[in-house]
Amino acid sequence: MTTHSHYRQYIADENAMCDFGKKLIHAICQLDNDNSVVLYLNGDLGAGKTTLSRGIIQALGHQGNVKSPTYTLVEEYYLQDKTIYHFDLYRLSDPEELEFMGIRDYFNKNTICLIEWTEKGAGLLAKPDLIVNIEYAETARELELIAQNARGEQIITLLTK
Ligand code: ADP
Ligand code: MG
Protein backbone atom coordinates (compact mmCIF):
# COMPACT_ATOMS: atom_id res chain seq x y z
CA MET A 1 0.00 0.00 0.00
CA THR A 2 1.31 3.43 -0.88
CA THR A 3 1.65 5.53 2.24
CA HIS A 4 1.12 9.24 2.69
CA SER A 5 2.65 11.15 5.55
CA HIS A 6 1.05 14.52 4.83
CA TYR A 7 -2.41 15.69 3.95
CA ARG A 8 -3.78 19.21 3.59
CA GLN A 9 -7.38 20.26 3.37
CA TYR A 10 -9.06 23.63 2.99
CA ILE A 11 -12.04 23.87 5.36
CA ALA A 12 -14.49 26.53 4.22
CA ASP A 13 -16.73 26.66 7.27
CA GLU A 14 -17.91 24.95 10.44
CA ASN A 15 -19.98 22.38 8.52
CA ALA A 16 -16.99 21.45 6.39
CA MET A 17 -14.98 20.91 9.58
CA CYS A 18 -17.63 18.53 10.93
CA ASP A 19 -17.70 16.72 7.58
CA PHE A 20 -13.95 16.33 7.69
CA GLY A 21 -14.26 14.84 11.18
CA LYS A 22 -16.67 12.32 9.75
CA LYS A 23 -14.26 11.36 6.96
CA LEU A 24 -11.38 11.10 9.41
CA ILE A 25 -13.19 8.79 11.82
CA HIS A 26 -14.41 6.73 8.89
CA ALA A 27 -10.77 6.20 7.87
CA ILE A 28 -9.80 5.36 11.47
CA CYS A 29 -12.61 2.80 11.69
CA GLN A 30 -11.18 1.06 8.62
CA LEU A 31 -7.82 0.35 10.28
CA ASP A 32 -7.23 -3.37 10.14
CA ASN A 33 -6.53 -3.78 13.84
CA ASP A 34 -8.02 -1.95 16.73
CA ASN A 35 -5.18 -0.63 18.80
CA SER A 36 -5.68 2.81 20.21
CA VAL A 37 -5.36 5.91 18.05
CA VAL A 38 -4.00 9.17 19.42
CA LEU A 39 -4.64 12.48 17.65
CA TYR A 40 -3.06 15.72 18.80
CA LEU A 41 -5.26 18.67 17.79
CA ASN A 42 -3.20 21.84 17.46
CA GLY A 43 -4.36 25.35 16.69
CA ASP A 44 -5.13 28.67 18.34
CA LEU A 45 -8.20 29.32 20.42
CA GLY A 46 -11.23 29.20 18.13
CA ALA A 47 -9.35 27.43 15.33
CA GLY A 48 -11.83 24.55 15.32
CA LYS A 49 -10.31 21.75 17.42
CA THR A 50 -13.53 21.14 19.34
CA THR A 51 -15.62 21.49 16.16
CA LEU A 52 -13.51 18.77 14.52
CA SER A 53 -13.93 16.60 17.63
CA ARG A 54 -17.68 17.15 17.48
CA GLY A 55 -17.71 16.00 13.84
CA ILE A 56 -15.83 12.83 14.83
CA ILE A 57 -17.99 12.07 17.88
CA GLN A 58 -21.33 12.79 16.23
CA ALA A 59 -20.36 10.71 13.20
CA LEU A 60 -20.20 7.71 15.54
CA GLY A 61 -23.79 8.37 16.56
CA HIS A 62 -23.57 10.73 19.52
CA GLN A 63 -26.76 12.79 19.50
CA GLY A 64 -26.07 15.50 22.03
CA ASN A 65 -23.74 18.41 22.12
CA VAL A 66 -19.98 18.03 22.36
CA LYS A 67 -18.73 20.58 24.80
CA SER A 68 -15.13 21.39 25.33
CA PRO A 69 -14.02 19.50 28.44
CA THR A 70 -12.09 22.51 29.66
CA TYR A 71 -12.87 22.11 33.36
CA THR A 72 -13.21 18.33 33.49
CA LEU A 73 -10.11 17.89 31.29
CA VAL A 74 -11.65 14.83 29.64
CA GLU A 75 -15.07 13.82 28.32
CA GLU A 76 -15.76 10.16 27.58
CA TYR A 77 -17.98 8.73 24.85
CA TYR A 78 -18.87 5.08 24.36
CA LEU A 79 -20.14 4.75 20.80
CA GLN A 80 -20.53 1.65 18.68
CA ASP A 81 -17.54 -0.51 19.67
CA LYS A 82 -15.33 2.52 20.29
CA THR A 83 -14.30 4.47 23.33
CA ILE A 84 -13.45 8.09 22.63
CA TYR A 85 -11.65 10.30 25.12
CA HIS A 86 -11.76 13.98 24.26
CA PHE A 87 -9.21 15.95 26.27
CA ASP A 88 -8.85 19.70 26.60
CA LEU A 89 -5.81 20.48 28.72
CA TYR A 90 -6.09 24.27 28.38
CA ARG A 91 -6.76 24.79 32.10
CA LEU A 92 -4.26 22.25 33.31
CA SER A 93 -1.87 24.09 35.59
CA ASP A 94 0.12 21.16 36.91
CA PRO A 95 0.86 18.09 34.77
CA GLU A 96 0.75 16.07 38.00
CA GLU A 97 -3.03 16.35 37.79
CA LEU A 98 -2.73 14.01 34.82
CA GLU A 99 -0.90 11.49 36.99
CA PHE A 100 -3.68 11.69 39.59
CA MET A 101 -6.35 11.01 37.01
CA GLY A 102 -4.46 7.95 35.81
CA ILE A 103 -3.67 9.35 32.39
CA ARG A 104 -1.83 6.23 31.24
CA ASP A 105 -4.99 4.13 31.44
CA TYR A 106 -6.65 6.37 28.88
CA PHE A 107 -4.22 5.29 26.21
CA ASN A 108 -5.19 1.64 26.41
CA LYS A 109 -6.06 -0.54 23.50
CA ASN A 110 -9.17 0.21 21.55
CA THR A 111 -9.54 3.85 22.53
CA ILE A 112 -9.45 6.94 20.36
CA CYS A 113 -7.89 9.91 22.11
CA LEU A 114 -8.47 13.44 20.80
CA ILE A 115 -6.29 15.90 22.67
CA GLU A 116 -6.45 19.70 22.63
CA TRP A 117 -3.59 21.75 24.15
CA THR A 118 -1.17 18.84 24.30
CA GLU A 119 1.75 21.07 25.22
CA LYS A 120 0.25 21.40 28.72
CA GLY A 121 0.66 17.68 29.24
CA ALA A 122 4.12 17.40 27.73
CA GLY A 123 5.92 14.26 28.82
CA LEU A 124 2.82 12.54 30.21
CA LEU A 125 0.80 11.89 27.10
CA ALA A 126 1.10 8.99 24.69
CA LYS A 127 2.84 9.89 21.47
CA PRO A 128 0.48 10.83 18.64
CA ASP A 129 -0.20 8.71 15.57
CA LEU A 130 -1.38 11.81 13.76
CA ILE A 131 -0.90 15.51 14.41
CA VAL A 132 -3.72 17.75 13.20
CA ASN A 133 -2.72 21.38 12.70
CA ILE A 134 -5.51 23.88 12.13
CA GLU A 135 -4.70 27.41 11.01
CA TYR A 136 -6.87 30.41 10.36
CA ALA A 137 -7.25 31.30 6.67
CA GLU A 138 -9.33 34.46 6.98
CA THR A 139 -12.80 33.13 7.82
CA ALA A 140 -11.92 29.62 6.69
CA ARG A 141 -9.30 27.19 7.98
CA GLU A 142 -6.32 25.28 6.60
CA LEU A 143 -6.08 21.84 8.10
CA GLU A 144 -2.96 19.71 7.91
CA LEU A 145 -2.46 16.11 8.98
CA ILE A 146 1.04 14.90 9.70
CA ALA A 147 1.57 11.20 10.25
CA GLN A 148 3.92 10.34 13.10
CA ASN A 149 4.17 6.62 12.45
CA ALA A 150 2.92 3.84 10.17
CA ARG A 151 -0.53 3.91 11.74
CA GLY A 152 -0.86 7.64 11.04
CA GLU A 153 0.23 7.04 7.45
CA GLN A 154 -2.35 4.29 7.12
CA ILE A 155 -5.08 6.66 8.30
CA ILE A 156 -4.09 9.29 5.69
CA THR A 157 -3.95 6.64 2.98
CA LEU A 158 -7.44 5.43 3.90
CA LEU A 159 -8.66 9.02 3.96
CA THR A 160 -7.40 9.74 0.46
CA LYS A 161 -8.83 6.58 -1.13
P1 ADP B 1 -11.12 25.46 19.45
O1 ADP B 1 -11.57 24.18 20.09
O2 ADP B 1 -9.98 25.25 18.49
O3 ADP B 1 -10.80 26.53 20.45
P2 ADP B 1 -13.85 25.67 18.51
O4 ADP B 1 -14.06 24.48 17.64
O5 ADP B 1 -14.40 25.62 19.89
O6 ADP B 1 -12.29 26.03 18.53
O7 ADP B 1 -14.45 26.94 17.82
C1 ADP B 1 -14.28 27.24 16.47
C2 ADP B 1 -15.18 28.39 16.13
O8 ADP B 1 -14.88 28.90 14.84
C3 ADP B 1 -16.66 28.00 16.13
O9 ADP B 1 -17.40 29.06 16.66
C4 ADP B 1 -16.96 27.82 14.65
O10 ADP B 1 -18.29 28.10 14.33
C5 ADP B 1 -16.03 28.85 14.02
N1 ADP B 1 -15.60 28.55 12.64
C6 ADP B 1 -15.64 29.40 11.60
N2 ADP B 1 -15.13 28.87 10.49
C7 ADP B 1 -14.73 27.64 10.82
C8 ADP B 1 -14.09 26.59 10.08
N3 ADP B 1 -13.77 26.70 8.78
N4 ADP B 1 -13.81 25.46 10.75
C9 ADP B 1 -14.12 25.34 12.05
N5 ADP B 1 -14.71 26.30 12.81
C10 ADP B 1 -15.03 27.44 12.19
MG1 MG C 1 -11.62 23.60 22.14
Side-chain angles (χ1 to χ4, degrees):
M1 182 160 71
T2 319
T3 57
H4 303 270
S5 53
H6 259 84
Y7 180 79
R8 290 182 74 87
Q9 174 80 54
Y10 177 81
I11 309 278
D13 55 22
E14 183 174 354
N15 270 344
M17 187 63 95
C18 286
D19 282 351
F20 185 77
K22 192 173 175 178
K23 279 176 63 183
L24 184 55
I25 191 65
H26 185 67
I28 289 171
C29 287
Q30 286 176 278
L31 287 170
D32 44 18
N33 46 29
D34 53 9
N35 293 322
S36 84
V37 173
V38 178
L39 305 187
Y40 282 15
L41 309 181
N42 298 332
D44 291 342
L45 206 62
K49 304 179 291 298
T50 300
T51 304
L52 177 64
S53 302
R54 173 156 52 88
I56 290 172
I57 291 161
Q58 290 182 339
L60 288 177
H62 178 71
Q63 302 281 332
N65 193 19
V66 171
K67 54 182 187 312
S68 204
T70 305
Y71 292 96
T72 51
L73 296 181
V74 62
E75 217 40 78
E76 312 183 359
Y77 301 87
Y78 303 97
L79 298 161
Q80 300 177 28
D81 59 341
K82 308 268 182 239
T83 299
I84 300 206
Y85 295 120
H86 178 207
F87 291 88
D88 181 342
L89 306 182
Y90 189 67
R91 302 246 167 230
L92 186 73
S93 46
D94 186 349
E96 254 192 27
E97 261 183 81
L98 292 177
E99 302 258 37
F100 290 136
M101 70 190 273
I103 188 74
R104 279 176 194 83
D105 295 340
Y106 286 90
F107 300 114
N108 276 334
K109 283 193 166 197
N110 227 339
T111 63
I112 298 168
C113 291
L114 313 172
I115 317 175
E116 301 185 34
W117 300 104
T118 55
E119 55 271 45
K120 303 264 185 172
L124 290 170
L125 303 175
K127 291 198 163 48
D129 299 295
L130 210 53
I131 292 179
V132 182
N133 290 322
I134 308 170
E135 293 200 345
Y136 282 83
E138 300 186 3
T139 63
R141 304 289 187 270
E142 271 301 336
L143 185 147
E144 177 189 36
L145 302 179
I146 309 168
Q148 301 298 297
N149 56 28
R151 168 168 301 262
E153 285 176 0
Q154 217 180 345
I155 295 169
I156 294 177
T157 298
L158 289 164
L159 188 71
T160 49
K161 260 193 197 161

